[in-house]
Each structure stands twice: as structure tokens, then as C-alpha cells.
Amino acid sequence: MKKAFLLLIALSLLSTFSCKKDKTDGEVKLQLFHYKQEIVNELKEITALFKEKYPNITIETETIPNDAQTVLKTKLQSGEAPEIMMLQSYTTVFDYAEAGYLLDLSKEAFMQRIVAGAKKSVIFKGSQYAVPMDMAGIGVIYNKDIFAKYNIAIPQTLDELKGVCDVLNKNGIIPFAVSISDNWPLGHFFSMAHTAFIGDKLDTWIKSMNDGVGSFKSEDMNRAFEVFDFYKNNAGPKAMETTYNNQYTNFASGKYAMMVQGLWAYGTGSKTVNPALKAGFFPFPFTNDPSQTKLYVDTDSTLAVSATASPEKIDAAKKFLDFLTGDEGVKLWVEKCKLIPTVKGANVDSLDEPYQDLMKYINEGKIMPWAFSIWPVTVFEQSKVAMQEYYSGQKNKDQVMEYLDNLWKISKGMK
């Protein structure tokens, strides 16, 4: 009887010890939802390094490059929110914060590490709902050796760019490596053209759209579609079949001189395929006014935490964000992902020439904002599909713009 009593006490103590261990050191699994297919392996490497620091926290990544926000919204509405989610800056963050999906991170110490200019992209009604992770630019990445071989200067106007393409075509070089089968780069190109043509009237136009009286249709956008045609006509015979992977691989081959992309396609794409590649970066000139030729630059991705996650998972997610914005995380973000962090004092000297070109345009103020980030999410997502349909002949330019006008009104409850 005495032995049985002692055994019962021992089992009780063991159970108590086990419960305490589970509470403090138990395994926590997080899901990280993101859309950056260019850093799939790099993010897995970063989460593995994080696990070395926090052995009880496992982060599983899910990558959705096309229609990412549509997929994420479905998850959120069905109660299947990932604990950590990558969001496009501005409108996506604001919409999800208003819906109650995101945790307020304003009082977290790691938010103090973020440069002030990047925080506006995640502030909704005075609170900060995500961590701005990187600044990015979209423009023309070009092969410096090809440009040097044919004595090509950086074009400042559309006519000069057309002249560049003429020289390249005459010498058997395809001007542009493109991605049309994967449609997300087309959304960037469409919005970049629209922003370039609308110039300093952007805020007024956004208000007119939100009031239901504006439109994508304009003489400027008619000219933009002429640029879209010029772009496709200088993209080689199999442009419609090309994916994002084809795009950066083709550019790396030396048979294509340029690609319209963000530098993510260079750092973790073309440069990995061809380490000897020498490249530079310049704004796409949509008009013949050099003063309007600006690089498309803004806060790119942000990371948010689900407001509905359990306290243990919220704590683990915060640890990951603290890790990413600390010295070790920032270094990994630069050296592994080839991205420019929004963290104060981040050192990007290790990045090569295209990134330094980006910093030059930023420092000179020759930049324009990522207007698509303040469009309704569904409008930007569907602009990718609509441009793909334009290139395949399923829609003409008027149908593309009418479709997007209609979607904007629906998103604002006008239809």
C-alpha cells in the first residue's frame, strides 16, 4: 500500500513537471503565408536559422505568387488565418486591420527599429498593424555588357528606348525578357505605366475613383497601351508562353538585353543563374519628357500577425519578427534575400550595382509611389488577369479599363 502511494505521488509529480514543460517549452508550429516566389528557398533557410535559436518554434512556409491576396482573404474569412502573413503595403494592410484580422503591433519594441518613412504603409487609425520589411523598386534591369558592346546609353525618353530596341534587334539581341504566362509582373507594369502618366494628379484621381466619378480611361492610358504593345512586340516570338522563371533565366542567358522587373528577379533570380552577369537599373521611360521618367519605388512587403492566433502562437510570431528586424535577421534579409530592409541603419553595401542604382534614384528623389498599393486589392489582382487577356486578344484596351472601373465601384459598394 505504501509503495502504491509513493508511486502515485511520483506519477503526480512527473505529470506536473510534464505539464509545466509543455507550457514553457512545448512545440509551437506557425504558418508563414507569403507571395515572394523569388525567395522561397531563402525564407526556408531563414526560418531554419530561427529554429536554431528557438528550437521549440517551427515555421512552415506557404508560397502563393499569383492571386495571393485573394487566396489569403478566403483563408481569413473561413477562419483559417496563418499566424504570420505577408501583405502588400497600404490598402491590404488597412483593409485587413479594419476587418479585425491583424494584431496591433504598435507597442512592440521591434517596431522602433523601422524607419519612419516606411511606417505610413502599415498605420491604420493611428496604430501599426504590420512590420514593413523592405523597400523595392520596379524598373528596367539591363545587361551592362550588351549596352557597352553596342554603345547604348541609358534611355531617358520613350523614343530613346525605341531607338535602343532598334539597335538590339538589328544585332540579333531580343530587347525584353518578359513574363506573361505568370501574370503578376503584368499587374506591376500596368500600374507603373498608369502612375507615370497620371503624375502628380494621383491623389485627385484616387479620390475621383472612390467617389465613383473617375475612370482608368484617358488619352494618357491610350498611349500607355501603345507602350504595352511596343513592349510585347520586342519580347521575342514566344512571349505569351514565358513564366517568371523563364523571364529571369532568359535575361541571364545574354540573349536578352533587358527585363522590366523588381530587383528580386535579379538578386535571387538572374544573378544566381549567371553569377558573372553585370547589370544595372533604370526607370522605364513611358513618355518623351525626361522629367517624368522616375523609378517605381515604395515599401514592398510587410509581415503581420493574426489577431485570432492563440497567445502562445502570437508570442512565437513576435519572436520571429523581433529576429527578422534584429542585426542577424537584417543581415540575412540583405545577403540571402537580396532585399533592402526598412530597418534603421541597415547596411546594403554588400549588394551590387543594380541596388546601388536604386539607392541613387531614391537619394535623388527620382521616384514615384507604388500606386497599386492604394488601389482596392481586387482591382490590382484582376489587373494582372486583364492584362494577360489583353495580350492574348481576349480583351481590348477599352474592355480592360471598363472592367477595372467596374471592379473599383463594386469594391466601394457602388454596385
Side-chain angles (χ1 to χ4, degrees):
M1 185 73 179
K2 184 177 180 181
K3 286 183 179 180
F5 178 70
L6 290 174
L7 179 60
L8 183 63
I9 291 176
L11 289 172
S12 177
L13 289 172
L14 180 61
S15 175
T16 302
F17 175 75
S18 297
C19 290
K20 287 183 178 179
K21 184 176 181 181
D22 287 342
K23 185 174 182 181
T24 57
D25 299 317
E27 180 71 18
V28 178
K29 290 186 178 180
L30 304 177
Q31 183 184 33
L32 168 56
F33 179 99
H34 75 102
Y35 51 79
K36 283 187 174 291
Q37 70 181 109
E38 67 273 14
I39 58 169
V40 170
N41 294 330
E42 289 76 11
L43 267 182
K44 288 180 179 178
E45 188 174 348
I46 288 172
T47 56
L49 290 170
F50 172 75
K51 187 171 178 61
E52 290 180 9
K53 190 177 182 70
Y54 296 97
N56 65 312
I57 303 174
T58 300
I59 301 179
E60 298 175 347
T61 61
E62 179 181 10
T63 313
I64 305 291
N66 291 321
D67 301 321
Q69 300 310 323
T70 302
V71 173
L72 178 58
K73 190 172 184 179
T74 300
K75 286 177 174 286
L76 294 172
Q77 291 175 336
S78 62
E80 299 176 354
E83 289 78 25
I84 305 171
M85 57 195 100
M86 181 178 284
L87 306 177
Q88 185 63 59
S89 54
Y90 296 100
T91 295
T92 306
V93 176
F94 304 158
D95 287 352
Y96 290 173
E98 185 172 30
Y101 295 135
L102 309 183
L103 188 72
D104 183 352
L105 302 174
S106 304
K107 295 181 180 179
E108 300 302 322
F110 50 75
M111 292 302 297
Q112 302 305 312
R113 301 171 188 157
I114 306 300
V115 296
K119 289 184 179 180
K120 63 182 180 180
S121 66
V122 299
I123 294 176
F124 177 72
K125 292 185 177 179
S127 295
Q128 300 167 37
Y129 285 93
V131 180
M133 286 305 301
D134 54 275
M135 295 288 291
I138 301 172
V140 182
I141 305 169
Y142 70 100
N143 185 311
K144 298 189 82 168
D145 286 337
I146 292 176
F147 270 51
K149 181 177 180 179
Y150 298 109
N151 297 312
I152 298 173
I154 303 300
Q156 303 297 317
T157 66
L158 179 60
D159 282 347
E160 289 178 3
L161 180 61
K162 289 178 178 178
V164 169
C165 291
D166 287 341
V167 171
L168 294 168
N169 283 317
K170 287 176 183 176
N171 286 281
I173 304 294
I174 300 173
F176 293 108
V178 302
S179 171
I180 295 179
S181 181
D182 282 341
N183 62 29
W184 59 266
L186 298 179
H188 289 157
F189 194 41
F190 178 83
S191 63
M192 180 167 63
H194 181 265
T195 306
F197 276 106
I198 207 163
D200 58 9
K201 300 174 186 174
L202 177 61
D203 290 343
T204 302
W205 179 80
I206 291 287
K207 184 178 186 305
S208 73
M209 293 296 286
N210 290 339
D211 291 342
V213 296
S215 175
F216 277 98
K217 287 186 175 182
S218 69
E219 285 302 314
D220 283 339
M221 282 307 291
N222 286 337
R223 288 192 286 274
F225 275 88
E226 291 175 4
V227 177
F228 299 151
D229 293 341
F230 153 75
Y231 177 65
K232 179 173 176 286
N233 291 339
N234 283 277
K238 296 184 178 181
M240 291 300 299
E241 302 170 20
T242 53
T243 64
Y244 167 69
N245 289 342
N246 295 148
Q247 183 183 31
Y248 71 71
T249 302
N250 287 341
F251 177 68
S253 72
K255 298 177 181 179
Y256 295 73
M258 300 174 283
M259 67 174 171
V260 178
Q261 261 292 0
L263 288 180
W264 52 79
Y266 168 76
T268 57
S270 301
K271 190 67 172 178
T272 60
V273 174
N274 179 9
L277 178 65
K278 294 180 181 178
F281 196 39
F282 65 84
F284 192 106
F286 286 97
T287 74
N288 285 320
D289 180 355
S291 69
Q292 296 302 313
T293 299
K294 299 178 180 179
L295 208 56
Y296 208 32
V297 177
D298 216 321
T299 302
D300 184 7
S301 59
T302 73
L303 289 177
V305 176
S306 171
T308 61
S310 68
E312 292 80 11
K313 291 191 173 186
I314 286 176
D315 182 63
K318 288 180 179 179
K319 282 184 170 65
F320 183 63
L321 296 182
D322 182 67
F323 171 77
L324 279 182
T325 55
D327 291 343
E328 184 179 0
V330 169
K331 186 176 181 182
L332 291 169
W333 206 243
V334 173
E335 295 181 358
K336 297 292 184 183
C337 299
K338 308 298 182 185
L339 295 171
I340 297 176
T342 57
V343 174
K344 297 172 184 175
N347 188 335
V348 297
D349 291 345
S350 63
L351 298 177
D352 57 7
E353 288 189 61
Y355 299 94
Q356 305 311 322
D357 288 342
L358 168 60
M359 296 307 298
K360 176 175 72 73
Y361 285 108
I362 291 173
N363 292 333
E364 292 175 354
K366 295 180 180 179
I367 59 175
M368 56 182 177
W370 283 13
F372 66 81
S373 295
I374 53 178
W375 294 1
V377 173
T378 186
V379 175
F380 177 55
E381 291 296 325
Q382 288 304 306
S383 72
K384 306 169 188 178
V385 178
M387 280 301 297
Q388 193 176 45
E389 291 175 340
Y390 173 74
Y391 278 142
S392 66
Q394 295 172 262
K395 280 185 169 68
N396 61 37
K397 68 178 189 298
D398 290 328
Q399 290 171 326
V400 168
M401 292 186 282
E402 287 170 3
Y403 175 62
L404 297 179
D405 283 348
N406 191 52
L407 279 179
W408 198 299
K409 289 176 181 177
I410 291 172
S411 73
K412 296 299 177 182
M414 300 175 198
K415 283 195 172 184

